[in-house]
Amino acid sequence: MPILEANNVTKEYQMGSEEVHALNGVSVSIEPGEFVAILGTSGSGKSTLLNLFGGLDRPTNGDICFNGQSLAPLSSREMSRYRLRSIGMIFQSFNLIPTMTARQNVSLALAFAGMKQTERQQRSKELLERVGLGARVDHRPSELSGGEQQRVSIARALANDPQVLLADEPTGNLDSARAAEILELLKTMQREGKTIVIVTHDHELAGRFADRIIKLKDGKLAE
């Protein structure tokens, strides 16, 4: 059974007086343990699809399913729980809190899940060690390189042991060497049993690391 499915999904936005068709009848399925790259130019709908998979938005028409269950009936609270427990999100801009250390940024995600403070301290340290930042746990984002900040955001995404990691242009702000390191780290997470879905415009990196490439163009699947 696919872990994620988009079934004939359409997503429309109203921008002023103009109606934008971000996705138009897209059907995609992703199997457990796959590493899938979604490729496309700006405006192709790839980030929109990722946001629908992550429960950050809902489709205009069609259905998004996780482990065979539609997300459509979920209340706002249930959708929040889905995002917290089942999905880990990684963003191009890292989205770290600048006044917090690496450990505190990761610990915050654990706090949302209700973990006690003493457990959070240990778990956040273990997660940062897992992504190669054991010596940087008490550094703030401004004291970390771009690649290190993205590693913190991956540790944060792993905080509640989600089945799926969704990454939106995770290497967009990194040079080619750091970008390859981040995708190698995601590949390691795949070997440990995670399903990985990344949005990227980098054909070369997608070809090196992904098991399968899905191409979008103008809101539709491209051949």
Side-chain angles (χ1 to χ4, degrees):
M1 178 198 298
I3 193 165
L4 283 172
E5 288 176 280
N7 297 313
N8 199 28
V9 164
T10 298
K11 182 62 184 178
E12 298 165 0
Y13 296 101
Q14 199 71 33
M15 292 186 70
S17 60
E18 188 180 353
E19 195 171 73
V20 177
H21 296 265
L23 291 173
N24 195 349
V26 170
S27 294
V28 167
S29 64
I30 294 165
E31 297 298 321
E34 264 197 305
F35 190 133
V36 174
I38 302 173
L39 279 177
T41 57
S42 179
S44 61
K46 57 190 190 299
S47 291
T48 300
L49 180 58
L50 202 75
N51 287 340
L52 294 176
F53 279 147
L56 296 173
D57 207 350
R58 295 179 187 258
T60 307
N61 292 298
D63 203 16
I64 300 289
C65 296
F66 177 79
N67 277 335
Q69 300 296 310
S70 171
L71 300 185
L74 298 188
S75 66
S76 294
R77 178 173 288 186
E78 289 167 333
M79 194 69 102
S80 294
R81 191 177 302 125
Y82 164 73
R83 290 195 299 268
L84 184 66
R85 300 287 185 186
S86 301
I87 300 291
M89 294 288 295
I90 301 159
F91 302 96
Q92 177 178 344
S93 56
F94 317 137
N95 288 6
L96 301 176
I97 297 172
T99 55
M100 288 185 165
T101 64
R103 188 198 297 230
Q104 288 168 335
N105 267 283
V106 177
S107 183
L108 188 62
L110 297 165
F112 285 135
M115 187 178 284
K116 294 176 182 175
Q117 186 171 359
T118 50
E119 294 174 34
R120 293 203 307 267
Q121 286 277 343
Q122 183 60 31
R123 172 89 173 135
S124 55
K125 185 172 183 288
E126 289 170 358
L127 286 163
L128 288 163
E129 287 171 349
R130 187 172 168 189
V131 299
L133 288 179
R136 312 284 275 170
V137 295
D138 294 319
H139 288 67
R140 288 183 171 81
S142 62
E143 300 168 313
L144 301 172
S145 69
E148 287 171 333
Q149 289 183 64
Q150 192 60 291
R151 285 171 183 267
V152 176
S153 73
I154 291 171
R156 182 184 57 193
L158 290 167
N160 297 308
D161 199 24
Q163 292 172 261
V164 178
L165 291 178
L166 301 176
D168 194 355
E169 296 282 7
T171 62
N173 288 334
L174 306 177
D175 63 43
S176 56
R178 301 292 86 75
E181 287 175 7
I182 291 300
L183 286 186
E184 186 57 61
L185 180 58
L186 291 175
K187 195 74 179 171
T188 300
M189 300 305 156
Q190 180 199 16
R191 294 186 195 106
E192 294 176 4
K194 304 293 183 194
T195 302
I196 313 291
V197 184
I198 69 164
V199 155
T200 184
H201 61 268
D202 192 320
H203 289 251
E204 192 266 333
L205 281 176
R208 275 174 63 190
F209 291 96
D211 303 324
R212 183 160 58 100
I213 292 172
I214 295 168
K215 292 182 181 178
L216 289 177
K217 184 178 180 181
D218 300 328
K220 297 180 180 179
L221 287 177
E223 290 301 321

